[in-house]
Every structure is written in C-alpha cells, then in structure tokens.
Amino acid sequence: MNNRNYKLIGCSPRLLTEDGVLKEFINQSYIDSLLEHNCNVIMLTLNNPGLEEVLDLCDGFLITGGSDIDPKYFGEDNLGLSKNVKPDLDIIDKIIVEYATKTKKPLLGICRGHQAINVFLGGTLHQDIGNAHKSIANNHKVKSIKNDVLAFDEDLVVNSYHHQAVRDVAPNMKTIAYHEDGTIEAIVHDTLPIIGIQWHPEKLLGSKESKVIFDKFFEFLNSKK
C-alpha cells in the first residue's frame, strides 16, 4: 500500500524516427488529460527487462493512439491493409492489457488503444474501412447505448482519426457507442474497469463526452483497493 496523494498512470509509448534516431514518446494531450485529474504519468518503455515491476507501481494504465496492430493477433494475414505495423508496440500493448485484466487495475484505451484492448482480449478488427473516419476534427456523429459505466448523452459529436475499427467485440466486452454507419466507437468490460474509446477525447477536453470518460477513469482509480 502506498501513501501517495496522486494516482500513477502507466502510458504506452509511441515511436518516431528523426534523423535516423528512434524516439519513444507520449503526446502531451494525453498527459494533460491525466494531470487535470491529479494523476502522475510515466511512460512504459519498450523491451524493459523489468516491466512487470514497473506495472506493479502503477494504479492504472492508458494505451494511446498509434499505428496499426499486426492482424496475426486476430488470426488474419496482412496483405497490405494494416499499415506501419510495429511489433514492439504490439508486444507492450498486449502486456498492458493482460496485466490490467489479471490485476483488475483500471485501463483506458484510446483509438489504437481501444482496438488493442479488443484484440488482446480476443476480438477482431476490420483492417481497413476506407477514409470515411479519417481526419475529422469535429462533427463526427455517434450514438450511445445506455449503460452503467459511461453516462453519455444519446447523441454525441466527436472527432475521428482512424482507418481500422473493431469488428467482433471481445468476450466480456460490450459496445456502448457506434457511428451511424455501424462502426463501433466505444466498448466497456462487463465486470472490470476497462474502457475503449475509438475517438480522441484527449483532444476534446472541454467537451461533456471527454469529461464523462476521464471522470469515470479517475473514479475507477479511486475505487481500486
């Protein structure tokens, strides 16, 4: 048991190569969304030989957006539809999902993170849904389904930055929001504090929808014994 007056969140890294140098990073917008809720943030680095010891220190986890997941994890070949696959990112996201499930620690997945939760809990993805959900800063219309986790309004207007989407929802996960074309936009676990959001609520911190998401994640963190 610790006596910290803040919650420690482990965030998955993302990768950028500049001038031939590989860099691991977290976008500031994710960090800001957690700082607003009195959380401290650490980056869970790739290929860490003592990763589980670091995970043990964390109160919860955020899996961020990023490149595509290797479709081998949901039983398909990559015929060029899954782009910019990075094996090390798949490995660390899988470890985080499995650890959070085992320990029942809160987990929030955003965009790729939402898809990672679904895949690594046994679901599948559409490898490519075209451009209908790409680069939409606002006016992306989503319908919510009444549930006991996220108290969304029935009609949401959010953003969208993806070309892959959840197809078959993982066991013990349920859909709680969808686009008018049927694309799954949010999922939650039946019994564990696990939330997946396809859009980017960290880019819309002033919105009611984002407040609902991060307030619930913080509530999960505070209820975790």
Side-chain angles (χ1 to χ4, degrees):
M1 182 176 180
N2 68 67
N3 296 315
R4 298 193 304 257
N5 63 358
Y6 59 86
K7 297 300 181 181
L8 183 62
I9 308 303
C11 284
S12 59
R14 293 301 174 240
L15 305 180
L16 173 68
T17 300
E18 289 185 335
D19 299 325
V21 177
L22 180 64
K23 301 178 180 182
E24 299 182 42
F25 70 95
I26 304 170
N27 283 340
Q28 186 67 42
S29 54
Y30 295 111
I31 297 172
D32 289 344
S33 65
L34 296 171
L35 291 177
E36 282 198 354
H37 287 79
N38 196 39
C39 294
N40 202 341
V41 181
I42 59 172
M43 185 171 70
L44 303 170
T45 55
L46 301 177
N47 304 313
N48 189 325
L51 181 59
E52 184 145 338
E53 295 177 12
V54 181
L55 299 178
D56 287 342
L57 297 173
C58 297
D59 299 298
F61 306 97
L62 171 61
I63 301 180
T64 60
S67 56
D68 294 348
I69 296 167
D70 193 325
K72 73 179 184 181
Y73 287 105
F74 49 95
E76 295 183 9
D77 294 326
N78 186 1
L79 301 178
L81 295 177
S82 293
K83 311 292 186 182
N84 202 24
V85 170
K86 298 187 185 310
D88 287 342
L89 292 184
D90 292 344
I91 290 169
I92 196 167
D93 285 2
K94 184 173 187 290
I95 290 171
I96 295 168
V97 171
E98 292 176 346
Y99 179 90
T101 303
K102 177 180 72 175
T103 60
K104 301 181 181 180
K105 290 185 177 183
L107 170 61
L108 173 61
I110 293 174
C111 199
R112 173 199 157 99
H114 158 83
Q115 296 167 11
I117 287 171
N118 191 64
V119 167
F120 297 129
L121 290 180
T124 67
L125 301 180
H126 296 287
Q127 288 195 51
D128 186 43
I129 59 171
N131 295 325
H133 291 250
K134 276 188 173 182
S135 302
I136 302 171
N138 50 47
N139 202 35
H140 188 68
K141 295 178 181 177
V142 171
K143 289 275 190 181
S144 74
I145 299 169
K146 189 174 182 181
N147 65 92
D148 57 4
V149 178
L150 296 177
F152 289 139
D153 292 337
E154 182 178 356
D155 295 298
L156 314 178
V157 180
V158 297
N159 56 32
S160 188
Y161 299 93
H162 65 103
H163 82 104
Q164 296 195 321
V166 169
R167 186 175 70 209
D168 301 307
V169 178
N172 300 312
M173 300 295 295
K174 61 185 176 185
T175 301
I176 62 163
Y178 60 94
H179 186 258
E180 57 190 14
D181 67 7
T183 300
I184 294 171
E185 296 277 352
I187 55 177
V188 295
H189 198 281
D190 287 335
T191 58
L192 298 177
I194 298 177
I195 298 169
I197 303 294
Q198 181 59 75
W199 68 89
H200 281 267
E202 82 284 0
K203 294 179 180 289
L204 300 168
L205 280 186
S207 71
K208 182 177 180 180
E209 295 79 23
S210 293
K211 182 173 177 8
V212 167
I213 294 163
F214 287 107
D215 282 358
K216 176 56 70 171
F217 184 55
F218 191 61
E219 180 184 318
F220 280 155
L221 291 167
N222 282 322
S223 64
K224 177 66 180 172
K225 305 298 183 184

